[in-house]
């Protein structure tokens, strides 16, 4: 008994030390940076806006993780590929030719609408297909099994699109009304960042109402609560799960369009890292919760954008922006260790994790 | 399983469309054309053809299997339908590609692909040939099922022999020539591939082999002496082991330097696979950041022994640095294991993935550049030497890797059967119950992480001195995914499975360089396929086999509503 207590204490001690070390590093770095004050206020403001925009993208992608996890308790590892597939297809088939023919300059909004529609359709189709082939037959298998197929699906789609469209980076055309900067009060922001933030807010509100008010949304929530009972209530569980995937993937598709507007580069591997980070965001906010995904995305985007400058610059680390992914992954680790239920999660993740 | 109803025309159409969809996608991603470069039978048949016709042949055979029990007369018709429907989308593709410039969108729909699909003829003639071949192959494949089983086995065996010897003809050629000289190889090969005459010879030989082995099998069955077999099997097993040992010792001589190099790579992956097998297979902890320990082992070896600017210059050799590499990886295993002790399943997977990425990004960063070289890596790492002999040839390094693999295998096998191994497996089944049974989860988990990390560190150390230079990009997530895939393909928890998995996933793409381009695509598809069709892997361990079948029995009837 004493032996056991000792060991548990050791582990807690280790975790406590771990937490303290990271906290000290962060606080020390922040204070040092503030004293040193390497950047003007304007730069900080721009960094924060960029962080919010980045966070909005994460939030939109994170919705897919949260919805699927809420319903199936599985990490849909291939979700980042849903994000990539739509915008990649739309860039090759629509954006490229439309920009070459000048259509996009004449009708920028209409063109963007077409691109968005195609992106959403392709992303959704890929998601529903993946669910049908790789996840549905394994719904009652041990939990690691669908995770492994999800990893397989992720690599499959990446390399499938690489095979279809080639491995080089493809440019996404500049859309004229969104080019340049705009002054809001005292700060100057990129127009695209503003578009991303506004679009993400609108989409998230729309999604919230969809899930809360429509019949499909109700079915999804019922299935998330309890599949068997939902089936007894006359809900088609397979359909509800398909629509969950479709919903998440269409959000990811929109995130893809917004990503293209900001970064203007499309690549077959572009979904992977944002996918993992969006998962981090979903966990951060409390997986299974839609407002949580939004909040988590925002937090992660901010940390990633501001973090390297704020925490690491002061410690004298060269080129801290190379380490922004380290900050994101460290956050993932910290959240999962110390607060697995996330910021907004009420249900303890222990029973599901 | 599913209610047995007679396949209808609708099923045939569905299979046909599916088959067409697969072939058109394989063509569009450039898979078929790439494999077209490898000739199986000189001037007649390439690997591209093989894959172009795999889907219709396979689907026709599958449907024939379902149909034949009910109505033998429909079998051929359905085969023809599947063949025709496979050809249809491809023909449409051919017409589209000649009418429009599809290539600006899909860069793999090249004129070469169209030539391949139309057999070098004009669009119309070529399309008709394509259609005819597909229909005939669909019917032949369906007809195969109508043959008596003995004949069917003979036909399949003969064809498989041709396909396999054709696939590896280049290697076969090289080896045969170095042992028997040109006389024999000129007889068998044209250029780098089998000549048609010899292909027919192999076909017949394969069929005959199948015939005789079936006869022998039948005779054994008729005698039916089980006790005899077990008494005999003991010496046979020992003899097999001795033969295996001799072959393993002579392998570099038999294989030549290129193939030995490939074997070495396979060996390193076997080493890593054995380690991850302990973590994932025995203890059930899905670790996606496994490459981190490989990287740590490699970097410690590199920095301790390097003769370049980054080396410590403390006179470490390969052998003295090796324990430190393994130790560092083991420590890292414990350190990274500690925080994740309370996590389960998929959360654990993501966190370990995060760790792996953190290590890689740190290795790349400017922060650690003064110590480990950043993107430029660590250079001038000496090769190992053994009593004054520098082990430069792959054939010499082979023995080090072989020794390490055997050691790791021995440790794995002993651990599996030990008290600790049983604790791991209990924990894998149910953590809570295991804990209630008095298993100390903390130390059990940490030991799994530490052992797995040690094997990986060992592999990393050998990797570093084998390549003589290391760069961060060698340690990306794909390595972890490769290792995970090979365990799954071989069979989770199975030691021979690790070797089988490494041979399939690491060895094959190196031998068939055309595959290497689409390697990850196939890994992905293979992972999904294995989980759906054969979750126990190609060489499952006894325990997994039993478990999975128990699981199937519980869940089979109508759980997935389809």
């Amino acid at each position: 008994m004493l032996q056991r207590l000792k060991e548990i204490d050791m582990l807690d001690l280790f975790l406590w030390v771990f937490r303290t070390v990271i906290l000290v590093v962060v606080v020390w770095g922040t204070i040092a940076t503030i004293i040193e004050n390497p950047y003007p206020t304007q730069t900080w403001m721009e960094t924060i806006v960029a962080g919010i925009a980045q966070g909005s993208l994460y939030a939109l992608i994170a919705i897919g993780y949260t919805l699927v996890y809420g319903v199936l308790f599985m990490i849909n590892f291939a979700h980042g590929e849903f994000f990539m597939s739509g915008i990649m297809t739309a860039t090759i088939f629509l954006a490229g030719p439309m920009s070459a023919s000048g259509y996009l300059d004449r009708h920028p909004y209409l063109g963007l609408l077409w691109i968005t529609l195609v992106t959403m359709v392709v992303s959704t189709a890929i998601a529903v297909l993946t669910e049908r082939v790789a996840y549905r037959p394994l719904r009652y298998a041990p939990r690691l099994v669908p995770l492994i197929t999800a990893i397989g699906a992720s690599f499959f789609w990446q390399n499938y699109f690489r095979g279809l469209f080639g491995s080089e980076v493809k440019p996404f055309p500049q859309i004229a009304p969104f080019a340049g900067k705009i002054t809001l009060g005292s700060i100057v922001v990129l127009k695209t960042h503003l578009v991303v933030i506004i679009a993400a807010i609108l989409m998230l509100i729309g999604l919230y109402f969809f899930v809360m008010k429509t019949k499909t949304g109700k079915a999804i929530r019922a299935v998330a609560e309890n599949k068997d009972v939902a089936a007894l209530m006359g809900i088609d569980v397979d359909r509800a799960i398909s629509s969950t995937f479709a919903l998440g993937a269409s959000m990811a598709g929109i995130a893809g369009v917004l990503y293209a507007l900001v970064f203007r580069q499309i690549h077959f591997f572009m979904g992977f890292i944002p996918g993992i980070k969006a998962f981090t965001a979903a966990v951060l906010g409390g997986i299974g919760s839609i407002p949580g995904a939004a909040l988590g995305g925002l937090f992660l985007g901010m940390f990633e954008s501001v973090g390297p400058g704020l925490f690491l610059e002061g410690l004298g680390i060269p080129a801290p922006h190379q380490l922004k992914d380290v900050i994101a992954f460290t956050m993932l680790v910290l959240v999962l260790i110390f607060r697995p239920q996330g910021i907004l999660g009420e249900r303890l993740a222990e029973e599901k994790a | 399983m599913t209610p047995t109803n007679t396949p209808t025309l609708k099923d045939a159409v569905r299979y046909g469309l599916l088959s067409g969809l697969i072939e058109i996608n394989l063509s569009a991603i450039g898979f078929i054309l790439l494999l077209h470069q490898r000739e199986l039978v000189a001037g007649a048949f390439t690997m591209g053809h093989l894959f172009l016709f795999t889907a219709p042949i396979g689907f026709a055979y599958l449907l024939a299997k379902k149909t034949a029990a009910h109505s033998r007369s429909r079998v051929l018709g359905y085969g023809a339908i599947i063949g025709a429907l496979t050809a249809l989308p491809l023909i449409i593709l051919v017409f589209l590609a000649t009418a429009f410039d599809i290539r600006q969108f899909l860069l793999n729909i090249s004129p070469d692909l169209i030539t391949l699909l139309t057999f070098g003829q004009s669009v119309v003639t070529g399309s008709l040939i394509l259609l005819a071949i597909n229909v005939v192959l669909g019917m032949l494949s369906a007809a195969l099922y109508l043959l008596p089983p003995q004949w069917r086995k003979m036909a399949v065996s003969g064809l498989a022999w041709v396909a396999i010897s054709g696939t590896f003809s280049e290697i076969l050629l090289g080896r045969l020539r170095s042992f028997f000289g040109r006389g024999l190889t000129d007889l068998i090969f044209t250029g780098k591939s089998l000549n048609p005459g010899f292909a027919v010879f192999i076909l017949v030989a394969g069929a005959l082999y199948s015939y005789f082995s079936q006869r022998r099998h039948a005779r054994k069955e008729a005698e039916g002496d089980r006790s005899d077999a077990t008494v005999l099997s003991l010496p046979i097993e020992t003899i097999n082991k001795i033969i295996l040992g001799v072959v393993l010792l002579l392998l570099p001589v038999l294989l030549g330097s290129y193939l030995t190099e490939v074997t070495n790579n396979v060996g390193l992956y076997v080493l890593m696979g054995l380690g991850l097998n302990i973590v994932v297979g025995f203890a059930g902890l899905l670790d996606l950041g496994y490459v981190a320990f490989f990287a740590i082992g490699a970097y410690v070896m590199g920095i301790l022994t390097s003769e370049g600017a980054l080396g410590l210059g403390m006179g470490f050799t390969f052998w003295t640095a090796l324990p430190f590499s393994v130790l560092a990886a083991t420590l890292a295993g414990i350190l990274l294991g500690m925080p994740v002790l309370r996590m389960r399943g998929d959360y654990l997977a993501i966190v370990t993935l995060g760790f792996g990425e953190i290590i890689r990004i740190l290795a790349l960063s400017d922060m650690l550049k003064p110590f480990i070289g950043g993107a430029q890596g660590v250079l001038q790492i000496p090769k190992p030497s053994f009593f004054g002999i520098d082990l430069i040839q792959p054939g010499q390094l082979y023995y080090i890797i072989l020794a390490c693999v055997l050691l790791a295998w021995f440790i794995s096998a002993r651990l599996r059967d030990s008290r600790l191994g049983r604790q791991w497996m209990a924990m894998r089944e149910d953590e809570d119950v295991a804990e209630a049974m008095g298993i100390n989860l903390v130390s059990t988990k940490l030991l799994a992480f530490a052992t797995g990390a040690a094997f990986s560190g060992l592999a990393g150390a050998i990797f570093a001195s084998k390549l003589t230079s290391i760069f961060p990009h060698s340690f990306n997530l794909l390595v972890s995914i490769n290792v995970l895939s090979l365990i799954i393909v071989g069979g989770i928890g199975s030691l021979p499975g690790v070797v089988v998995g490494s041979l399939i996933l690491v060895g094959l793409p190196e031998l068939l360089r055309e595959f290497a381009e689409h390697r990850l695509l196939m890994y992905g598809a293979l992972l999904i396929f294995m989980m759906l069709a054969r979750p126990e892997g190609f060489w499952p361990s006894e325990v997994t086999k039993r478990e999975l079948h128990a699981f199937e029995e519980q869940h089979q009837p109508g759980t997935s509503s389809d």
Side-chain angles (χ1 to χ4, degrees):
Chain A
M1 194 65 197
L2 203 67
Q3 176 81 29
R4 274 190 62 77
L5 271 177
K6 255 187 196 162
E7 268 160 9
I8 288 176
D9 278 346
M10 278 288 288
L11 182 60
D12 280 336
L13 192 73
F14 174 82
L15 293 180
W16 194 82
V17 169
F18 187 67
R19 196 179 343 201
T20 317
V21 165
I22 289 184
L23 208 67
V24 165
V25 168
V26 166
V27 171
W28 187 330
T30 310
I31 292 171
T33 308
I34 289 171
I35 292 170
E36 215 173 271
N37 198 14
Y39 305 118
T41 320
Q42 173 63 27
T43 316
W44 282 117
M45 283 302 188
E46 275 172 23
T47 320
I48 288 173
V49 174
I52 296 175
Q54 183 72 46
S56 312
L57 286 179
Y58 290 153
L60 281 179
I61 309 173
I63 291 293
Y65 283 102
T66 270
L67 286 175
V68 169
Y69 199 93
V71 171
L72 290 179
F73 302 141
M74 74 170 271
I75 298 173
N76 178 20
F77 207 85
H79 190 65
E81 269 48 68
F82 303 162
F83 159 80
M84 170 274 293
S85 58
I87 188 61
M88 188 131 178
T89 314
T91 307
I92 299 285
F93 281 107
L94 272 183
M98 281 200 308
S99 149
S101 68
Y103 180 87
L104 211 51
D105 292 329
R106 277 175 276 129
H107 309 282
Y109 296 106
L110 199 60
L112 195 60
L113 185 69
W114 286 123
I115 292 173
T116 312
L117 280 179
V118 169
T119 304
M120 283 170 74
V121 167
V122 174
S123 287
T124 308
I126 297 281
V128 171
L129 183 69
T130 309
E131 193 272 331
R132 180 71 192 80
V133 173
Y135 302 156
R136 191 180 295 179
L138 298 169
R139 204 171 286 159
Y140 297 92
R143 295 220 7 219
L144 285 188
V145 170
L147 180 64
I148 291 169
T149 52
I151 295 171
S154 171
F155 280 85
F156 178 81
W157 286 125
Q158 260 172 38
N159 290 281
Y160 176 79
F161 280 94
R162 172 169 170 261
L164 276 189
F165 301 132
S167 54
E168 65 277 14
V169 176
K170 285 146 196 81
F172 187 84
Q174 175 115 45
I175 293 179
F178 301 141
K181 294 181 175 182
I182 191 171
T183 316
L184 289 179
S186 63
I187 51 170
V188 184
V189 289
L190 284 175
K191 275 186 192 167
T192 46
H193 282 162
L194 212 58
V195 170
V196 169
I197 295 168
I198 292 169
I201 291 172
L202 288 180
M203 291 318 300
L204 288 171
I205 292 173
L207 179 94
Y208 194 75
F209 278 103
F210 183 86
V211 173
M212 286 304 170
K213 300 288 179 204
T214 62
K215 224 171 173 177
T216 317
K218 226 177 227 171
I220 291 175
R221 280 184 296 137
V223 171
E225 208 64 50
N226 188 325
K227 279 196 258 317
D228 298 331
V229 177
L232 287 177
M233 298 295 138
I235 291 169
D236 186 342
V237 174
D238 282 339
R239 235 184 99 171
I241 290 176
S242 275
S243 39
T244 311
F245 274 85
L247 203 57
S250 50
M251 289 294 135
I254 289 169
V257 176
L258 297 175
Y259 180 97
L261 284 179
V262 177
F263 296 100
R264 303 214 288 128
Q265 283 187 339
I266 306 297
H267 188 237
F268 75 95
F269 200 63
M270 69 186 240
F272 194 74
I273 294 292
I276 294 174
K277 291 212 188 132
F279 172 74
T280 308
V283 174
L284 191 60
I287 199 152
S289 139
I290 294 173
L295 203 63
L298 220 55
F299 259 92
L300 187 69
M302 290 280 284
F303 264 98
E304 225 187 78
S305 178
V306 179
L310 189 62
F311 309 146
L312 303 179
E313 185 83 42
L315 297 175
I317 291 169
H321 283 276
Q322 289 174 335
L323 300 180
K324 77 178 174 48
D325 288 1
V326 171
I327 290 186
F329 289 127
T330 311
M331 260 178 89
L332 172 70
V333 174
L334 290 179
V335 172
L336 282 180
I337 295 171
F338 297 113
R339 198 178 157 81
Q341 70 270 40
I343 302 172
L344 290 187
E346 319 97 61
R347 287 178 294 185
L348 201 63
E350 183 81 3
E351 61 182 273
K352 291 176 186 170
Chain B
M1 279 179 81
T2 44
T4 46
N5 44 9
T6 325
T8 55
L9 194 63
K10 216 175 120 190
D11 288 312
V13 171
R14 225 178 58 196
Y15 274 50
L17 289 177
L18 203 57
S19 151
L21 203 68
I22 290 175
E23 291 305 345
I24 203 162
N25 275 303
L26 285 180
S27 309
I29 60 173
F31 193 65
I32 302 266
L33 193 63
L34 198 67
L35 296 185
H36 190 51
Q37 294 162 5
R38 187 172 285 268
E39 285 192 316
L40 294 184
V41 178
F45 194 69
T46 70
M47 202 149 199
H49 290 128
L50 181 67
F51 274 86
L52 187 58
F53 300 124
T54 302
I57 290 175
F59 278 108
Y61 188 81
L62 270 180
L63 194 67
K65 202 170 168 181
K66 283 188 182 167
T67 316
H70 304 283
S71 133
R72 300 177 75 87
S73 56
R74 287 198 208 151
V75 166
L76 286 184
Y78 285 172
I81 289 171
I82 288 176
L85 284 176
T86 311
L88 210 61
L90 291 174
I91 291 171
I92 294 173
L93 180 75
V94 167
F95 276 92
L96 277 180
T98 35
F100 306 103
D101 179 22
I102 306 187
R103 210 176 170 195
Q104 56 170 317
F105 305 124
L106 302 170
L107 78 169
N108 276 312
I109 312 268
S110 58
D112 286 346
L113 178 73
I114 302 305
T115 318
L116 166 67
L117 289 177
T118 52
F119 302 91
Q121 309 291 320
S122 75
V123 176
V124 178
T125 336
S127 301
L128 286 177
I129 298 177
L130 185 67
L131 182 69
I133 291 184
N134 268 303
V135 169
V136 169
L137 281 176
M139 285 170 77
L140 275 180
S141 158
L144 206 57
Y145 203 81
L146 293 179
L147 289 175
Q150 195 187 5
W151 287 77
R152 190 167 70 221
K153 275 185 193 157
M154 282 169 63
V156 172
S157 151
L159 289 172
W161 276 45
V162 175
I164 290 171
S165 46
T167 308
F168 297 108
S169 61
E170 199 178 331
I171 297 150
L172 219 59
L173 171 71
R175 293 286 79 208
L176 285 178
R177 183 170 289 169
S178 71
F179 284 116
F180 301 109
R182 279 186 161 274
L184 180 72
T185 52
D186 284 349
L187 208 65
I188 304 178
F189 298 100
T190 309
K192 280 179 179 175
S193 20
L194 295 177
N195 65 38
F198 196 74
V200 173
F201 172 75
I202 290 182
L203 183 77
V204 174
L208 283 178
Y209 173 80
S210 160
Y211 174 72
F212 284 115
S213 76
Q214 280 181 63
R215 280 252 314 250
R216 207 178 53 214
H217 203 71
R219 213 168 42 227
K220 251 189 194 165
E221 203 102 300
E223 285 168 11
D225 260 333
R226 280 211 185 144
S227 54
D228 198 32
T230 44
V231 171
L232 264 176
S233 79
L234 198 74
I236 284 178
E237 237 173 45
T238 333
I239 291 167
N240 280 345
K241 269 186 190 162
I242 293 170
I243 293 176
L244 184 71
V246 172
V247 169
L248 279 180
L249 278 181
L250 292 180
L251 213 54
V253 186
L254 295 173
L255 290 181
S257 77
Y258 171 65
L259 285 183
T260 309
E261 182 62 34
V262 173
T263 314
N264 285 347
N265 285 338
V266 173
L268 285 181
Y269 270 95
V270 171
L271 205 49
M272 281 197 276
L274 285 172
L276 191 62
N277 190 43
I278 288 181
V279 185
V280 179
F282 294 172
L285 307 162
L286 187 57
D287 184 350
L288 292 182
Y290 194 59
V291 66
F293 312 121
F294 183 63
I296 287 168
Y299 268 105
V300 170
M301 171 59 75
I303 287 168
L304 285 182
T305 62
S306 169
E307 289 152 0
L310 290 166
L312 287 184
M314 282 161 64
F316 275 103
T317 66
F318 173 78
W319 298 105
T320 47
L322 196 60
F324 289 99
S325 286
V326 177
L327 198 69
T330 314
L331 277 180
I334 295 174
L335 270 182
L336 297 191
M338 289 269 252
V340 300
L341 279 174
R342 298 213 172 123
M343 274 169 225
R344 295 181 192 184
D346 29 19
Y347 273 27
L348 179 73
I350 297 287
V351 170
T352 47
L353 188 149
F355 275 142
E357 284 294 290
I358 288 176
I359 298 271
R360 187 183 63 87
I361 297 166
L362 285 181
L364 256 174
S365 71
D366 284 353
M367 184 170 90
L368 296 179
K369 198 172 177 183
F371 312 105
I372 59 175
Q376 276 88 49
V378 183
L379 309 173
Q380 287 180 294
I381 304 166
K383 294 238 179 196
S385 67
F386 193 67
F387 291 116
I389 311 162
D390 284 334
L391 304 180
I392 296 165
Q393 298 294 321
Q396 296 165 324
L397 268 171
Y398 167 82
Y399 290 104
I400 292 184
I401 295 174
L402 179 68
C404 290
V405 166
L406 288 179
L407 180 73
W409 181 294
F410 177 73
I411 293 174
S412 290
R414 296 296 294 165
L415 280 177
R416 182 189 56 196
D417 300 333
S418 72
R419 190 185 169 84
L420 182 61
R422 289 194 300 277
Q423 287 180 343
W424 281 335
M425 281 168 218
M427 193 171 71
R428 179 185 68 193
E429 298 313 318
D430 193 318
E431 275 191 17
D432 297 326
V433 175
E435 193 166 22
M437 288 292 144
I439 291 173
N440 181 347
L441 290 186
V442 173
S443 64
T444 316
K445 276 191 184 177
L446 284 183
L447 276 170
F449 277 123
T451 323
F455 288 2
S456 188
L458 182 62
I462 300 173
F463 176 81
S465 65
K466 173 172 167 285
L467 288 192
T468 68
S469 49
I470 44 175
F471 308 98
H473 68 75
S474 313
F475 306 108
N476 58 27
L477 177 69
L478 295 181
V479 179
S480 303
I481 299 290
N482 278 0
V483 181
L484 180 70
S485 309
L486 72 88
I487 314 186
I488 288 166
V489 167
I492 298 180
S494 149
L495 299 185
V498 173
V499 180
V500 173
S502 310
L503 283 174
I504 295 175
L505 291 190
V506 184
L508 272 187
E510 300 236 12
L511 295 184
L512 308 170
R513 264 151 284 128
E514 293 87 355
F515 276 105
E517 164 102 20
H518 289 286
R519 176 183 192 152
L520 287 168
L521 180 91
M522 289 193 298
Y523 280 11
L526 202 59
L527 280 187
I528 299 175
F529 173 78
M530 292 302 288
M531 284 296 124
L532 289 175
R534 211 180 149 78
E536 72 269 33
F538 282 123
W539 194 318
S541 68
E542 282 304 312
V543 184
T544 334
K545 217 189 297 182
R546 244 181 293 138
E547 273 166 14
L548 280 163
H549 285 291
F551 168 76
E552 268 164 29
E553 277 154 27
Q554 275 169 26
H555 287 276
Q556 222 158 40
T559 37
S560 68
S561 47
D562 183 56

